Amino acid sequence: MKKTVTTLADGRELIYYDAAEDTVRDAVDQRPLDPVSTSSEIRRDPLLGDAVAIASHRQARTYHPPADACPLCPTREGRHSEIPDDHYDVAVFENRFPSLAGDSGRCEVVCFTSDHDASFADLTEEQAALVLAAWTDRTAALAALGQVTQVFCFENRGAEIGVTLGHPHGQIYGYPFVTPRTELMLRSAARHREETGSNLFDDVVAREEKDGSRVVLATDHWIAFVPYAAHWPYEVHVYPRRRVPDLRELDEGARTEFPQVYLELLRRFDRIFGPGEPPTPYISAWHQAPFVADGREDFALHLELFTIRRTSGKLKFLAGSESGMSVFINDVPPEAAAERLREVASQ
């Protein structure tokens, strides 16, 4: 992999990740951009103890542009975009409309391919491996920033999720705090360690593998299963068999095998609801340990992949119980979801 670091016209960082070592990236951003102005502020909820990012400048972000005005496509035929070169493998840049900025953290956009009409599931294993390398490199780079406590790599896919740009891309958030969901996991892991003397994540994976009814895919280095208490209609958790706290510590076997496992899962997701159905909307989220936190050594890197579509033409809405009380109600039994995801493997 070759990494090339440059800047955009307004001073934001842009990084190219290329498969070929001899690739030259010297295109200059020709746009007359004003400096980025953000108003991101982190506020603490005194009742719940969690954090809320107030970012009013995001109201002006690009919203569903036509394909010929996509800011994530390469710069071609006189049409300038966020990517000055006329092609790229993987590109990462600072978000012009970040939820977190300055002392409040950092937000980056990850473009998986220059092909506007593709999706992550369309990538080759080599391309997916390059994305994994970019996620890992950015995790390492953000870990070196004093204001970043935890790195979150994720992809929102589909208009139903709220995606405003159709180009295949994801995001990376560098939070200046430990996120509430991670805090819950760390507390559960600490309690489990105190009560049993063993690691919670290891025990969850072992239980799922022993039971087998919710396992979707198992290989030498990874295991994917629908969790026992799945929150979403179709939800898969993907763990490396060797527990590590974050992407930086995956071994070569896990890195080599991940593209095969992940692409297979994404392709199965698109087949859940049968032929003729539109692509399945999903959120794909890497859970990594905070860089400094009690229990970091007990945390297990894993990916959570889920869709809000519960059946053909119907979505799972977060209504009164979910939004008001954080109590999820799932219409699809986890065992049935796992069975369906195994069935579509050969379709």
Side-chain angles (χ1 to χ4, degrees):
M1 178 188 78
K2 181 179 181 181
K3 176 182 176 182
T4 305
V5 181
T6 183
T7 56
L8 296 171
D10 54 10
R12 286 176 295 134
E13 190 174 38
L14 166 68
I15 308 107
Y16 293 101
Y17 295 90
D18 288 290
E21 291 288 346
D22 59 352
T23 303
V24 176
R25 299 293 185 188
D26 55 8
V28 177
D29 185 4
Q30 303 288 347
R31 297 173 298 171
L33 295 180
D34 294 326
V36 174
S37 177
T38 64
S39 56
S40 181
E41 176 188 358
I42 303 296
R43 297 185 181 183
R44 288 281 177 179
D45 184 321
L47 298 183
L48 299 180
D50 59 5
V52 177
I54 309 297
S56 59
H57 61 277
R58 284 175 53 78
Q59 290 279 35
R61 66 187 184 274
T62 308
Y63 186 81
H64 291 302
D68 60 0
C70 174
L72 307 185
C73 286
T75 292
R76 291 174 181 162
E77 300 174 354
R79 188 189 66 78
H80 299 289
S81 74
E82 292 278 55
I83 318 294
D85 216 320
D86 61 1
H87 71 286
Y88 62 85
D89 290 345
V90 175
V92 178
F93 60 87
E94 289 183 76
N95 198 326
R96 187 168 170 81
F97 303 97
S99 303
L100 309 166
D103 292 339
S104 297
R106 178 162 164 137
C107 292
E108 299 180 342
V109 177
V110 184
C111 298
F112 303 139
T113 171
S114 58
D115 184 352
H116 180 85
D117 297 318
S119 68
F120 201 117
D122 296 322
L123 301 183
T124 65
E125 289 182 12
E126 291 74 18
Q127 289 174 303
L130 189 60
V131 175
L132 176 61
W135 283 331
T136 304
D137 183 73
R138 296 315 302 155
T139 296
L142 295 181
L145 300 181
Q147 71 270 35
V148 173
T149 299
Q150 183 178 359
V151 171
F152 178 45
C153 307
F154 65 100
E155 180 192 1
N156 298 326
R157 194 259 202 138
E160 299 94 330
I161 298 294
V163 173
T164 58
L165 297 175
H167 195 102
H169 73 288
Q171 300 181 64
I172 301 175
Y173 278 16
Y175 293 107
F177 49 79
V178 179
T179 63
R181 189 173 177 86
T182 304
E183 284 187 336
L184 284 173
M185 291 184 193
L186 289 170
R187 287 203 295 270
S188 295
R191 183 170 59 250
H192 187 82
R193 173 70 71 183
E194 182 178 347
E195 293 174 353
T196 70
S198 61
N199 181 273
L200 173 61
F201 297 95
D202 291 348
D203 287 353
V204 166
V205 171
R207 183 184 70 176
E208 292 295 349
E209 187 159 34
K210 180 179 179 180
D211 179 281
S213 64
R214 291 176 295 275
V215 173
V216 176
L217 194 60
T219 65
D220 290 343
H221 297 279
W222 296 87
I223 183 168
F225 56 85
V226 178
Y228 174 76
H231 289 58
W232 300 96
Y234 291 90
E235 175 180 346
V236 176
H237 292 190
V238 189
Y239 282 78
R241 290 191 178 275
R242 185 179 71 88
R243 174 166 48 89
V244 295
D246 60 43
L247 287 165
R248 296 174 297 176
E249 298 193 33
L250 286 175
D251 59 30
E252 280 307 307
R255 291 186 185 283
T256 299
E257 202 175 72
F258 176 76
Q260 306 162 28
V261 172
Y262 189 48
L263 291 172
E264 174 63 19
L265 288 173
L266 292 181
R267 290 161 187 168
R268 291 190 196 189
F269 257 57
D270 275 343
R271 296 195 290 262
I272 291 173
F273 304 104
E277 289 290 324
T280 300
Y282 64 74
I283 292 175
S284 177
W286 278 110
H287 290 262
Q288 304 195 77
F291 302 125
V292 180
D294 291 339
R296 172 180 162 81
E297 68 282 354
D298 260 352
F299 195 86
L301 168 75
H302 63 284
L303 183 144
E304 297 185 8
L305 173 67
F306 60 90
T307 180
I308 63 171
R309 185 177 292 164
R310 56 188 175 87
T311 189
S312 179
K314 297 179 181 178
L315 302 180
K316 166 65 180 176
F317 292 103
L318 300 190
S321 186
E322 292 88 355
S323 294
M325 283 294 169
S326 294
V327 178
F328 275 68
I329 301 168
N330 190 351
D331 299 326
V332 181
E335 294 74 18
E339 182 178 7
R340 179 57 182 160
L341 285 163
R342 289 193 296 265
E343 286 176 351
V344 298
S346 59
Q347 294 182 3

